[in-house]
Amino acid sequence: MPFEYSAEIVQLLRAPAHAYFGRSKDGPADVPTELPVSVEIVAHKGIRGDRFFGVKAHTEAAVSFLAVEAWDAIGDVLGVEVPDPSVARRNVLVRGLELDPLRGLEFELDSGDGWIRFRGGRPAHPCAWMDRMVVDGARKALIGRGGLRVEPLSDGILRVGKLLVRSPVELDASHAALSVKRAQPLPEK
């Protein structure tokens, strides 16, 4: 891959069950949520121990990414202090990585234990729960910057800390917080 970047994994999240289902007025489910320092990635299945692991309907979107810059932008847009980004329930919180250009493309990550290959999938759209868990208007502020769902294509370990990224396209970390106003077509395979 022609482009290589340095970024950072700020937080990893693994949850064996869904916390946000049903009506948000009823509140989130009381489920365990782990913020481990490392997670095991399994090709075509996801993060071992996570709610989406091996779920056939989610194999192409088994791992979700969110840029911390995008999360912080909610606060800027709404003029509020945002809570811990684990509220967003994304598996991998990164800093310094533009995500949207990776849709439909294969890319590689190495957080110290070797390269892991992924294929970017669909955007991770925010749900109505964000208005309850963050502040009214958070869902709208997250539209276009809710992250990226990906399919792992190889096995490996991701760790919190320094991250190397190999990409087939040029990425611009200064765009990580920007809202993508319209869905760009996925690159042809």
Side-chain angles (χ1 to χ4, degrees), residues 113-179:
D113 292 277
W115 292 100
I116 307 170
R117 199 164 31 96
F118 294 91
R119 180 181 303 112
R122 64 184 185 262
H125 296 297
C127 66
W129 278 89
M130 292 299 97
D131 286 343
R132 173 170 172 102
M133 301 306 295
V134 180
V135 66
D136 281 340
R139 179 186 170 278
K140 186 175 181 181
L142 267 172
I143 291 174
R145 59 170 66 101
L148 181 68
R149 297 191 181 280
V150 305
E151 177 183 11
L153 301 177
S154 64
D155 298 342
I157 301 292
L158 282 181
R159 295 184 185 283
V160 170
K162 182 181 172 186
L163 179 67
L164 295 176
V165 181
R166 288 183 184 158
S167 169
V169 295
E170 220 169 334
L171 303 173
D172 185 342
S174 71
H175 293 169
L178 298 180
S179 175

Side-chain angles (χ1 to χ4, degrees), residues 50-169:
D50 189 65
R51 63 206 181 277
F52 293 115
F53 184 79
V55 176
K56 194 168 184 81
H58 291 283
T59 54
E60 293 181 1
V63 180
S64 57
F65 283 73
L66 176 65
V68 71
E69 296 91 343
W71 183 253
D72 290 343
I74 301 168
D76 296 341
V77 168
L78 300 175
V80 299
E81 188 174 322
V82 290
D84 183 291
S86 64
V87 169
R89 310 282 294 166
R90 301 294 188 246
N91 299 118
V92 183
L93 183 69
V94 294
R95 180 186 324 277
L97 179 60
E98 182 186 20
L99 296 169
D100 193 67
L102 298 172
R103 288 189 320 119
L105 300 176
E106 290 186 18
F107 61 97
E108 296 175 327
L109 303 178
D110 180 358
S111 61
D113 292 277
W115 292 100
I116 307 170
R117 199 164 31 96
F118 294 91
R119 180 181 303 112
R122 64 184 185 262
H125 296 297
C127 66
W129 278 89
M130 292 299 97
D131 286 343
R132 173 170 172 102
M133 301 306 295
V134 180
V135 66
D136 281 340
R139 179 186 170 278
K140 186 175 181 181
L142 267 172
I143 291 174
R145 59 170 66 101
L148 181 68
R149 297 191 181 280
V150 305
E151 177 183 11
L153 301 177
S154 64
D155 298 342
I157 301 292
L158 282 181
R159 295 184 185 283
V160 170
K162 182 181 172 186
L163 179 67
L164 295 176
V165 181
R166 288 183 184 158
S167 169
V169 295

Side-chain angles (χ1 to χ4, degrees), residues 10-63:
V10 176
Q11 184 179 80
L12 295 166
L13 183 140
R14 179 177 52 216
H18 295 280
Y20 304 154
F21 60 90
R23 298 179 305 201
S24 62
K25 72 175 187 165
D26 297 332
D30 186 19
V31 299
T33 299
E34 302 168 0
L35 301 175
V37 295
S38 67
V39 293
E40 179 185 359
I41 303 292
V42 179
H44 310 290
K45 292 187 183 251
I47 295 174
R48 188 173 302 282
D50 189 65
R51 63 206 181 277
F52 293 115
F53 184 79
V55 176
K56 194 168 184 81
H58 291 283
T59 54
E60 293 181 1
V63 180

